């Protein structure tokens, strides 16, 4: 049992309560330069003793990437105002990410396959939060 697991909670069944870092362990303490939803955020959470990590996953043109946002400027080096779902996994994975302060770092946007590999490397559970798909947007609003 890792240090962050909380005592068993009686919910009428045998279950554990887990503290799960949202978008991985990013932007705090020694991880200040670690971008959200990134391989270092998954590895950092595992190394800090968390059993699980929550990630935001977005369907793009030919696969899936880890991203909370639908557009690029806040998270990446790209100034493009276009939507990420119109781009390929390869195009997106080539982009460097920004840390919490907005500075560019060497870490690139993470693919779903990279997220699975990082989780397997540290034996961490992934909790996937799926983002709305392109079909849910009408006139720039989520419907």
């Amino acid at each position: 049992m890792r240090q962050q697991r909380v005592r068993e909670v009686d919910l009428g069944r045998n279950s554990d309560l887990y503290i799960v870092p949202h978008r991985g362990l990013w932007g705090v303490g020694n991880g200040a330069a670690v971008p959200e939803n990134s391989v270092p955020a998954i590895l950092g959470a595992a190394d800090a003793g968390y059993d699980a990590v929550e990630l935001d996953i977005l369907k793009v043109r030919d696969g899936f990437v880890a991203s909370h946002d639908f557009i690029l400027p806040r998270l990446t080096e790209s100034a493009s105002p276009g939507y990420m779902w119109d781009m390929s996994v390869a195009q997106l994975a080539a982009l460097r990410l920004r840390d919490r302060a907005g500075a560019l770092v060497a870490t690139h946007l993470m693919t779903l396959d990279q997220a699975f590999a990082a989780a397997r490397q540290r034996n961490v559970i992934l909790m996937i939060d799926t983002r709305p798909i392109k079909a849910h947007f009408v006139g720039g609003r989520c419907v």
Side-chain angles (χ1 to χ4, degrees):
M1 179 169 12
R2 294 186 178 159
Q3 67 183 13
Q4 302 303 47
R5 187 177 289 179
V6 178
R7 66 175 174 77
E8 190 163 318
V9 177
D10 182 8
L11 299 174
R13 62 189 184 282
N14 291 328
S15 65
D16 289 329
L17 175 66
Y18 295 93
I19 299 172
V20 180
H22 184 63
R23 302 181 200 164
L25 195 61
W26 62 283
V28 295
N30 292 336
V34 174
E36 64 187 70
N37 287 312
S38 67
V39 169
I42 292 173
L43 300 179
D47 292 346
Y50 290 94
D51 293 302
V53 175
E54 180 271 349
L55 293 178
D56 299 300
I57 298 297
L58 179 66
K59 170 74 173 98
V60 296
R61 189 169 63 202
D62 60 352
F64 296 88
V65 297
S67 179
H68 178 269
D69 294 12
F70 311 114
I71 57 174
L72 298 167
R74 182 183 74 86
L75 298 176
T76 73
E77 63 188 312
S78 175
S80 170
Y83 290 109
M84 292 172 68
W85 47 58
D86 291 328
M87 299 176 73
S88 71
V89 169
Q91 289 173 307
L92 293 165
L95 297 173
R96 288 185 304 154
L97 292 173
R98 296 185 183 279
D99 66 14
R100 187 173 218 140
L104 282 173
V105 296
T107 304
H108 288 256
L109 200 136
M110 179 173 62
T111 67
L112 184 56
D113 289 339
Q114 291 169 327
F116 288 146
R120 278 192 301 271
Q121 180 182 344
R122 293 292 202 282
N123 196 30
V124 172
I125 298 165
L126 290 182
M127 298 180 64
I128 304 294
D129 179 5
T130 56
R131 306 302 296 153
I133 59 172
K134 183 177 183 177
H136 292 153
F137 277 76
V138 174
R141 291 185 11 204
C142 187
V143 294

